[in-house]
Amino acid sequence: MKVLLRADASATQGTGHVMRCLTLAHRLGDEGHSVTLATNESGVLWLEDLIRASGLNVVRVPQHSLDHNLLSHLAPDWLAVDSYEIDARRISEFRSVARVLAIVDGDDRGIDADLYLDHNVGAELLEWPTHVRPRLLAGSRFALIRQSIVDARRPQPWNFLADTPHIVAVMGGSDPTGTIVPVTRALCGLNNSFRATIVCASSWRAEVDALVADRDNFAVTEPTSEFPALLATCDVAVSAAGTSSWEFCTLGIPSVLIDVVDNQTLGLSELSSRGLAQAVSPAHRSTEEFVEAVRTAVGGLISDEQKRRAMSERCLESFDGRGTLRVVEAMSSAIQA
């Protein structure tokens, strides 16, 4: 198959759409398919490094655009679009020249597609339109997880790797809301013995550095393409409830997850109700209340091995790491039908 993936990223938009497409691209390539990524110049340095290192054929396009000339030139079998901004009617038009995979989050947006992918936990239970459901790949069975994350799974992730647990805090690839600042404050107030790595976008680096200046047990780093190696050493995570949350779930790492934007709230509620993570929302809380809620949640996970184990086991049951392959198989089957 020839596949064109279309997604954008920026410091304000975030990086999740492109990360999902990169994950799908690698699996497509591993299965022998030809892949092109069409994306904007994001300005996010670590993501641009990752794109360059991917070895993909990359075409740079204006943000939120979808150009008919590009499709005519590439003549793909599949157009996969991961975007909230590209007009649904515009995406649907291209179904006349290629099969369309719409990567969505709880809403088909009125797109007319051959396949719809929503890899959020519980997505299979939502009220989808009648025409969508037969073409729907939904739920954690189809989670787009990097192979490097799957390879880092360990047998009993609820057990600490050392006497002092390692906390990793990350609020997504760009953290446009600056949630890492109150999260860092929360971790600074913990009484438990631990070490922490704060993954902090450059926009918030000065504030975070000031908070941890006198604390030897804290390390601060900017988002990096080497994230899977960091997660392999993580015992407890504090994360935005976006793309990285599925990676923590796949690893079985006990996590406190935060809905930093509105479109994460529904998925986070489902994760929490299934016991896959502990949810803390900044909505309807003052900053001080939010800081205290994060501190209490993280401290509770560190102190309670039984709770960590139950959470880890549920995560490992729900995320088997084969979701990306299932998506590629569904695309291949549709071509052959």
Side-chain angles (χ1 to χ4, degrees), residues 4-268:
L4 173 62
L5 301 170
R6 179 71 189 90
D8 292 320
S10 71
T12 54
Q13 176 184 340
T15 59
H17 297 290
V18 172
M19 285 301 299
R20 291 196 292 201
C21 283
L22 285 173
T23 298
L24 181 56
H26 284 302
R27 175 53 71 177
L28 284 162
D30 288 345
E31 298 300 315
H33 304 294
S34 173
V35 185
T36 297
L37 173 66
T39 188
N40 67 321
E41 293 279 359
S42 71
V44 180
L45 296 182
W46 70 266
L47 181 64
E48 293 298 326
D49 288 343
L50 199 62
I51 291 171
R52 281 191 292 272
S54 69
L56 293 172
N57 179 36
V58 178
V59 178
R60 297 297 182 170
V61 296
Q63 191 174 21
H64 310 320
S65 68
L66 191 56
D67 182 42
H68 196 281
N69 290 332
L70 178 62
L71 265 80
S72 298
H73 173 69
L74 293 175
D77 300 300
W78 278 97
L79 166 66
V81 181
D82 191 342
S83 171
Y84 301 150
E85 305 295 338
I86 298 175
D87 186 77
R89 291 169 298 180
R90 182 68 172 161
I91 298 170
S92 303
E93 290 172 3
F94 288 93
R95 198 175 174 210
S96 63
V97 295
R99 289 173 176 82
V100 173
L101 168 66
I103 303 176
V104 298
D105 293 288
D107 181 4
D108 66 290
R109 297 181 54 227
I111 298 169
D112 182 21
D114 296 86
L115 287 175
Y116 301 84
L117 169 62
D118 185 340
H119 71 169
N120 292 288
V121 172
E124 70 276 17
L125 305 176
L126 298 178
E127 293 293 329
W128 295 96
T130 303
H131 73 280
V132 170
R133 185 157 289 282
R135 313 173 199 169
L136 182 64
L137 312 176
S140 59
R141 290 189 69 251
F142 297 97
L144 298 177
I145 305 297
R146 290 179 281 178
Q147 189 60 42
S148 55
I149 293 292
V150 178
D151 293 342
R153 283 163 69 116
R154 58 187 197 253
Q156 297 180 333
W158 58 87
N159 288 333
F160 297 151
L161 289 172
D163 293 337
T164 301
H166 180 203
I167 302 171
V168 172
V170 56
M171 294 297 116
S174 61
D175 188 18
T177 61
T179 308
I180 196 65
V181 178
V183 165
T184 302
R185 285 184 55 200
L187 298 183
C188 287
L190 282 172
N191 294 322
N192 313 72
S193 176
F194 67 96
R195 68 183 182 94
T197 299
I198 311 297
V199 183
C200 177
S202 57
S203 306
W204 315 108
R205 183 66 186 262
E207 291 179 66
V208 169
D209 281 344
L211 287 170
V212 304
D214 299 323
R215 299 173 183 272
D216 294 338
N217 60 323
F218 278 78
V220 183
T221 182
E222 294 190 7
T224 170
S225 58
E226 300 302 318
F227 194 52
L230 175 62
L231 296 196
T233 70
C234 177
D235 296 307
V236 172
V238 188
S239 173
T243 304
S244 58
S245 67
W246 309 143
E247 298 183 333
F248 288 119
C249 287
T250 300
L251 290 168
I253 295 172
S255 302
V256 174
L257 299 182
I258 301 164
D259 51 342
V260 299
V261 291
D262 290 343
N263 62 30
Q264 295 175 352
T265 301
L266 182 62
L268 178 56

